[in-house]
Amino acid sequence: MEDYTIFYKEVLFDKDSNDSCGDYDLLISAYNGSDRVIEPFHLVNAKEKHWLVLPQYDEEAPASSPNIEVFTSDIIDEVEYFKEYLNKFPLHNDKRICVDISGFLRPHLIFFVKLLKIRKFKNIDFIYSEPVYYSKHEKTQFSKLPNEIKQVPGFCNRNYPPSNNDILIFGAGYDDMLIAKVASDKKHCKKFQIIGFPSLQIDMYQESMLRLENAKEDLGDNVINFFAPANDPFVTAQTLKEIVDKYNWSNMDYNIYLCPVSTKAQVLGFTLFFLNEEMDNLSIIFPYSEKYSSKTSEGRDRTWLYTVEF
């Protein structure tokens, strides 16, 4: 794709809005206890709504109601998790669906977007709500120490033998432990970071930069920084295209590893880039943890709407 910024985005409602909006057949959201997850679930109009309860959050499942279905499973693996979900709730591409990505785990979000494309959904609305602030500011922990680094299922076209021409591109945020783990594992790679700027809130850029200092030793001195708005998946995808087009080694066999550990909006951008680019050396890797913090933010600020066309 030549220009990802042609996709449509708008503010669906701001932090002070309590007015319902939207007209969907189905709303899908991953449950956790954050205001920015719970409030939009009730504000968006849909004939049917699904809460996905992810076992990594260790959350008590919410109550169901006549138009709210709650899907629970003990399955950690995202492939098997969604296989069970789709067995219970088949998704039909003639429905108008909305997916709230705010509460998703990153690998689950990446894999689920591909599933929707495989099921031939042509137009999908994704929403993402910004926090007012993270609960412990720059000390907020989003995940436990990662126990393994692996490719997200379905997001590897071809693996070439490791070489000094390999590229590693991070979507960088607060998760310095995850960045350090991957950077250490891929020491041989030329490294890039897409940093969220402008950030979701004014102070979050400085907080994230303080956290990235913790990973500096593993990243090395030659990491190259790029910037994209933390709330914009389309500019993120376009920035990835800019990096790959500029640093593409012609006539060489090498790997491009994408590792999105930033905001869910930027994770969506990384996913769209992979799904739209026909590159056999591209893959998405992720440092998996067994447990994730379920409530890391306070309050709900703007809720964004992103319309994706496949």
Side-chain angles (χ1 to χ4, degrees), residues 77-80 107-108 110-112 114-115 118 150-156 274-275 284-286 288:
D77 178 80
E78 59 266 41
V79 176
E80 296 302 319
H108 284 66
I110 294 166
F111 183 73
F112 189 55
K114 183 168 186 176
L115 274 183
I118 289 172
K150 62 181 182 179
Q151 291 161 348
V152 177
F155 283 83
C156 176
F274 180 96
L275 294 176
I284 297 183
I285 61 174
F286 196 82
Y288 283 75

Side-chain angles (χ1 to χ4, degrees), residues 134-284:
Y134 290 124
S135 55
K136 296 183 179 179
H137 300 282
E138 76 274 9
K139 295 182 180 179
T140 304
Q141 293 292 335
F142 295 87
S143 60
K144 306 300 181 185
L145 279 170
N147 58 334
E148 63 176 332
I149 299 166
K150 62 181 182 179
Q151 291 161 348
V152 177
F155 283 83
C156 176
N157 293 325
R158 177 177 180 179
N159 272 330
Y160 289 100
S163 78
N164 290 333
N165 293 317
D166 288 352
I167 291 175
L168 171 61
I169 309 174
F170 286 105
Y174 284 59
D175 273 319
D176 56 282
M177 291 189 300
L178 306 188
I179 292 171
K181 180 79 171 178
V182 176
S184 177
D185 185 72
K186 303 293 183 186
K187 289 180 181 178
H188 67 286
C189 292
K190 187 176 184 66
K191 298 177 180 65
F192 302 84
Q193 292 184 130
I194 298 178
I195 297 170
F197 184 81
S199 53
L200 301 181
Q201 301 293 344
I202 294 174
D203 52 353
M204 288 181 181
Y205 172 72
Q206 186 61 37
E207 291 175 2
S208 66
M209 295 308 292
L210 288 171
R211 291 290 292 273
L212 286 175
E213 280 294 311
N214 298 330
K216 191 172 182 179
E217 183 177 346
D218 293 287
L219 282 168
D221 296 327
N222 297 320
V223 62
I224 300 174
N225 293 331
F226 286 75
F227 299 91
N231 58 15
D232 197 323
F234 307 134
V235 175
T236 299
Q238 192 64 28
T239 304
L240 280 167
K241 183 173 178 59
E242 176 186 344
I243 296 170
V244 171
D245 287 350
K246 184 175 182 179
Y247 294 93
N248 187 21
W249 316 113
S250 60
N251 301 319
M252 291 186 183
D253 294 338
Y254 71 103
N255 301 291
I256 302 175
Y257 302 104
L258 309 180
C259 184
V261 290
S262 47
T263 64
K264 308 297 169 53
Q266 289 200 334
V267 172
L268 179 60
F270 272 73
T271 308
L272 295 176
F273 177 79
F274 180 96
L275 294 176
N276 281 288
E277 300 298 322
E278 296 181 357
M279 301 178 64
D280 68 351
N281 60 342
L282 197 63
S283 63
I284 297 183

Side-chain angles (χ1 to χ4, degrees), residues 115-128:
L115 274 183
L116 295 175
K117 182 178 181 181
I118 289 172
R119 288 180 171 256
K120 301 188 183 304
F121 281 88
K122 298 300 183 184
N123 296 280
I124 306 166
D125 282 353
F126 295 91
I127 63 172
Y128 173 73

